[in-house]
Amino acid sequence: MPCPTCGATGERTQILPGYWRCDAVVRVGELVGGPAVPAAEPAETKRCSTIYIQTRADDEAALCRCGDPAIGECTECTRAVCADHSALWQGWRVCDRDLANARMRSRAAALAEERRREEEKAAAEAERQRQRTELLELADEDAVWVLYARDEKRTEQEIRSAVHVLRGLNAAEFTDVCLYLLPYARDPEKRRTGVTRLSGWAFEGADYHGRSWFLTRKGEWHRSGAYGASASEGRWKKVRFDDVEKRAVIDELAWQQRVDSALI
C-alpha cells in the first residue's frame, strides 16, 4: 500500500503491527499542504515521515477470510477482518481467533492463580492443625517462661505446649520451678497485705478474670480477686496452693498470653 501523502511504497519502516512510517525523501512541494515552488527554483527536500495504517498487503484484496469486505486488520496477526470476525479489545481491533486465544490464556492464568491461592490456604490450614496437635518438647522452666514472660508474642503451639508441660507438675513442683525461674524473669515486686509487705512475683494481668496471685520468696502463695479479698483494697489472702489453684494460675497465664499474642 503506498504512502497516502507522497505515494512512495518502497521506503518505509514498520513501527507497530499494521502501522508504517514513510521514510521517503521527497520535494516539499509534492507533499500535501506544502507551498508551491516555481520550477526555476531549487526544491527543498525532506523526509515524508507520514505514519499510516496498512490494512492489507499490496497484492491482496481487502477481504476477510469469509469473503466480506474488511473493515480493518488484526493488530496481532495483521490479517484483514470484517465486523463479524473481529472485535475491539482495549481500543485495538483483534480477530476472533486471536481474541479467543487471548481469552483462553487469561482464563488459564486465572485458574492457575486460583489454584495457587487454594494451595496456600490448604498449607496454612495444615500448619495450623499441626500446631494444634503437635506439642513442643519444653523443659519445666521453659514452659513457665513461655507463659509468664510477655516480652514477645507467642504462637498457639508454644502456649499449648507450655500448658501441657505445667499441668503434669504437682503444686509443689510448680512452685519450685517458679521460684527457680522468676528471679531471672523479673525483679521482685512489693505488695501490701495488712500492715506487712510481700516481696515476690505477681501473677496478674489486664485480662485475668478478676483473679490475681502473688508468690513470695519463701514459696507462699497469696490470692486476691474473685477467690479472695478485693485487689482494689490492696489486700491479699494467703492460700493453700493445691492442684486446683495451680491449674487456675496456668489457665489465667495462658489466657493472658493468648490475648497479648493476638490469638483470641
Side-chain angles (χ1 to χ4, degrees):
M1 179 178 179
C3 172
T5 301
C6 66
T9 58
E11 300 178 11
R12 60 180 182 175
T13 302
Q14 187 176 16
I15 57 177
L16 284 174
Y19 286 81
W20 297 83
R21 183 186 67 231
C22 179
D23 294 332
V25 179
V26 296
R27 297 174 60 185
V28 174
E30 296 176 357
L31 296 176
V32 177
V37 180
E41 297 182 7
E44 181 183 357
T45 60
K46 64 175 295 185
R47 178 178 295 179
C48 178
S49 299
T50 300
I51 297 177
Y52 60 96
I53 301 176
Q54 179 177 343
T55 59
R56 56 184 170 82
D58 296 338
D59 56 349
E60 292 180 355
L63 297 177
C64 180
R65 68 175 187 270
C66 64
D68 292 341
I71 62 171
E73 69 177 19
C74 175
T75 56
E76 291 290 328
C77 63
T78 68
R79 293 191 182 96
V81 290
C82 65
D84 295 333
H85 294 103
S86 66
L88 289 177
W89 179 73
Q90 296 183 355
W92 299 89
R93 182 159 297 279
V94 182
C95 68
D96 53 352
R97 295 174 179 174
D98 288 329
L99 183 60
N101 292 333
R103 287 174 175 171
M104 290 177 61
R105 291 193 299 268
S106 177
R107 178 59 178 168
L111 291 176
E113 178 67 16
E114 184 177 355
R115 285 194 300 269
R116 184 187 65 81
R117 292 181 180 178
E118 291 295 332
E119 290 174 356
E120 290 181 352
K121 183 178 179 181
E125 178 63 20
E127 177 64 17
R128 189 181 71 84
Q129 291 297 331
R130 185 190 68 80
Q131 292 188 6
R132 289 185 61 87
T133 56
E134 294 185 9
L135 298 176
L136 302 174
E137 295 184 4
L138 299 176
D140 300 341
E141 296 82 1
D142 294 334
V144 174
W145 180 273
V146 167
L147 296 186
Y148 189 81
R150 303 191 183 103
D151 53 345
E152 58 185 24
K153 293 185 180 297
R154 311 297 185 188
T155 65
E156 184 178 0
Q157 186 181 28
E158 291 175 327
I159 297 174
R160 289 172 60 86
S161 301
V163 171
H164 175 76
V165 170
L166 295 179
R167 283 182 178 176
L169 304 178
N170 57 40
E173 293 171 339
F174 178 76
T175 301
D176 291 340
V177 173
C178 291
L179 288 175
Y180 170 77
L181 175 70
L182 295 185
Y184 302 97
R186 293 184 183 177
D187 295 330
E189 303 177 31
K190 301 292 184 179
R191 291 291 188 276
R192 179 181 294 278
T193 172
V195 295
T196 62
R197 286 179 176 270
L198 302 176
S199 176
W201 299 271
F203 290 76
E204 59 188 0
D207 294 285
Y208 277 39
H209 297 84
R211 293 168 289 182
S212 299
W213 290 267
F214 194 84
L215 176 62
T216 67
R217 295 171 180 261
K218 298 179 180 180
E220 298 174 345
W221 288 89
H222 294 255
R223 184 182 60 206
S224 67
Y227 290 156
S230 173
S232 62
E233 299 175 3
R235 298 177 182 176
W236 295 80
K237 177 182 178 181
K238 184 177 179 180
V239 296
R240 184 176 65 87
F241 196 71
D242 54 14
D243 288 337
V244 175
E245 292 285 351
K246 181 208 69 171
R247 186 183 182 94
V249 172
I250 294 173
D251 290 344
E252 292 293 348
L253 283 171
W255 172 260
Q256 181 69 49
Q257 193 61 255
R258 289 191 181 94
V259 173
D260 292 343
S261 301
L263 297 176
I264 301 300

